[in-house]
Amino acid sequence: PATASAYQQLATIENDNADFAGAERDYFAMAIQGLEGGDRKAAAIAFLELMRIAGRHRKQFEYADRYAQLADAELVRASTTAEWIGEFKIRRSWYQCQLESSRQQFVKAEKECRSALAMCEKLYKPGSLHHIGILISLANSLKRQDKLAEALTLYQESLRLGEQAFGETHPNVAVDLYNLGNVLFAEQRYAEATEYYLKALAIYRKVFGEKHPKQFNTLAQLTRASIRQKNFAAAMAYARQTQNISSDSGTASVVAASDCLIGDVLYRQGRFAEALEQHQKALDRCDRRSCELQLPYYMITVADDLRGLRKAKHAVTLLEQAQRLQAPTADREVVARNQFSLARALVEIGFHEAQIECVFVGAGFGRDHGIVNTNAQHLRVDAGQGALIAAARCRVGLGCAAVA
């Protein structure tokens, strides 16, 4: 048991520092020690944490499901108190919520998070770490279903509780500010989103310093928000800051993400040749091992640059390849952009017959995933593009009513 506890402490430190490979290794060692030493509680906790890492961070869903089964089995065998079992069940539902979100099953995620929240409110006072974490996970699942008003309310509640529990300059508060910014970004309130991102960035820099990797996502969102506001000078400045952070990380996926952001700024300025150079850098840094989930997106960005350079035929080949690499649980916005870009590229080379196939391939996707947004923004384009883009939006549940 003492050894299992030591492995748990190591894994917790590694997890807090986003070293998920290290955390996974030590949680696995903790599980083995628990099983061999007869500490069923330790084994149950270890398998539960392995479930979270495999599902949320690794996207290895079969492993996550198996770890969940092992955790449940060890819980049954454990000799413990009713309070400990209650705490375990809260975390079990919470982690299942995160797992379903990673699978893009947001309706199921919402159900699991609401169950965890109900149990948590019976066992803990508002403002506990579990309570705040579950609020954030529930808000995340609602945001991905475009239930933005309810998500915003939950993020605001999480921020209020976090400031009370930790103070206004705690990193957990920065996470809440970042999440609030993301909801406002989704509502196209880019100036307000920028304010929240800047507050989050200030906290990260005060606590961790100027070049800590925890700033990366916030700087990336500041880049995107500035692009939407056509403030390209600010967007490039933020993107360059991500480059400073990524150069220290030495991780291919992080460096590639920074290259891609710089390319995005250039693309939006119509500087397609320069954008292509940056996006190609991102693609060249990646393989299916180092950044499997991002690889299709980088291919899409290169294809869009080629379209901008009037090389639509080359773009079609790349977009079709990106489409084949998309995992069943790929982010719907990436799938949408893939379909949208492919539709436009096909129109540009005169291949209008693709309309029918796109519509039929897309049928039912949004309903299956519970992500239909009837308030999707409609794009004004010519008739040929309109049919294809409508089909692309239907493909990912962003407005199938228009196709009907």
Side-chain angles (χ1 to χ4, degrees), residues 77 127 131 134 329:
R77 299 186 182 102
H131 184 237
I134 294 165
T329 55

Side-chain angles (χ1 to χ4, degrees), residues 30-320:
M30 175 187 172
I32 298 300
Q33 290 293 325
L35 292 172
E36 291 181 346
D39 187 352
R40 301 296 186 177
K41 284 172 58 177
I45 293 170
F47 284 130
L48 191 63
E49 293 298 333
L50 286 167
M51 165 199 170
R52 177 183 59 80
I53 292 171
R56 184 179 180 187
H57 301 294
R58 297 288 200 188
K59 313 300 183 194
Q60 296 173 335
F61 302 121
E62 290 184 9
Y63 282 100
D65 290 335
R66 181 60 179 146
Y67 286 135
Q69 292 170 1
L70 291 169
D72 292 340
E74 292 307 309
L75 176 65
V76 172
R77 299 186 182 102
S79 298
T80 186
T81 63
E83 183 178 355
W84 189 92
I85 291 173
E87 180 180 343
F88 182 91
K89 288 182 176 179
I90 290 169
R91 290 169 68 185
R92 176 70 173 83
S93 288
W94 179 19
Y95 290 177
Q96 189 68 38
C97 168
Q98 295 177 344
L99 175 58
E100 297 300 344
S101 286
S102 295
R103 285 180 168 130
Q104 307 284 303
Q105 298 289 336
F106 302 115
V107 175
K108 291 181 180 179
E110 178 186 349
K111 181 179 178 181
E112 290 290 345
C113 263
R114 290 195 186 280
S115 174
L117 186 62
M119 289 188 285
C120 187
E121 289 174 342
K122 290 180 181 179
L123 196 60
Y124 300 111
K125 293 180 180 179
S128 70
L129 280 173
H130 281 18
H131 184 237
I132 293 172
I134 294 165
L135 282 176
I136 292 172
S137 294
L138 176 56
N140 289 342
S141 69
L142 293 168
K143 175 179 172 289
R144 298 305 298 272
Q145 296 176 75
D146 296 308
K147 298 179 180 180
L148 299 180
E150 188 176 358
L152 185 63
T153 299
L154 289 175
Y155 284 136
Q156 289 170 335
E157 176 67 4
S158 174
L159 175 62
R160 183 185 68 81
L161 293 171
E163 287 178 338
Q164 288 179 354
F166 311 118
E168 294 184 356
T169 59
H170 193 277
N172 286 2
V173 172
V175 173
D176 291 322
L177 292 166
Y178 173 80
N179 286 328
L180 279 165
N182 284 344
V183 175
L184 295 167
F185 186 98
E187 292 180 333
Q188 300 180 33
R189 296 159 62 181
Y190 302 122
E192 294 171 77
T194 297
E195 292 178 13
Y196 281 99
Y197 292 143
L198 287 172
K199 289 178 182 178
L201 184 64
I203 293 173
Y204 284 136
R205 288 185 167 170
K206 181 177 181 179
V207 175
F208 300 110
E210 291 290 321
K211 298 179 69 174
H212 195 278
K214 282 186 178 289
Q215 302 174 41
F216 190 94
N217 289 339
T218 305
L219 286 166
Q221 284 299 94
L222 279 165
T223 302
R224 297 179 184 113
S226 298
I227 289 173
R228 298 303 192 282
Q229 297 173 85
K230 301 187 185 304
N231 187 348
F232 298 116
M236 185 60 77
Y238 292 130
R240 294 292 185 195
Q241 289 176 60
T242 69
Q243 195 173 45
N244 294 337
I245 293 171
S246 67
S247 62
D248 287 348
S249 75
T251 306
S253 60
V254 178
V255 178
S258 180
D259 290 333
C260 188
L261 281 169
I262 294 171
D264 290 347
V265 179
L266 295 167
Y267 175 82
R268 294 297 180 180
Q269 292 177 283
R271 297 160 64 181
F272 301 122
E274 295 169 83
L276 177 60
E277 182 179 352
Q278 288 297 137
H279 287 142
Q280 188 66 56
K281 277 185 186 179
L283 188 57
D284 290 344
R285 294 185 197 277
C286 284
D287 54 35
R288 296 195 68 175
R289 181 181 178 185
S290 60
C291 39
E292 179 179 5
L293 297 175
Q294 296 89 356
L295 194 58
Y297 179 75
Y298 297 151
M299 296 171 74
I300 295 165
T301 60
V302 170
D304 283 342
D305 299 332
L306 291 170
R307 283 185 44 254
L309 294 168
R310 301 186 182 278
K311 297 179 180 179
K313 287 185 179 180
H314 298 290
V316 167
T317 302
L318 201 55
L319 289 164
E320 288 175 339

Side-chain angles (χ1 to χ4, degrees), residues 1-10 26 29-34 36 39 42:
T3 306
S5 177
Y7 279 122
Q8 182 177 13
Q9 291 179 48
L10 280 171
D26 286 323
M30 175 187 172
I32 298 300
Q33 290 293 325
E36 291 181 346
D39 187 352

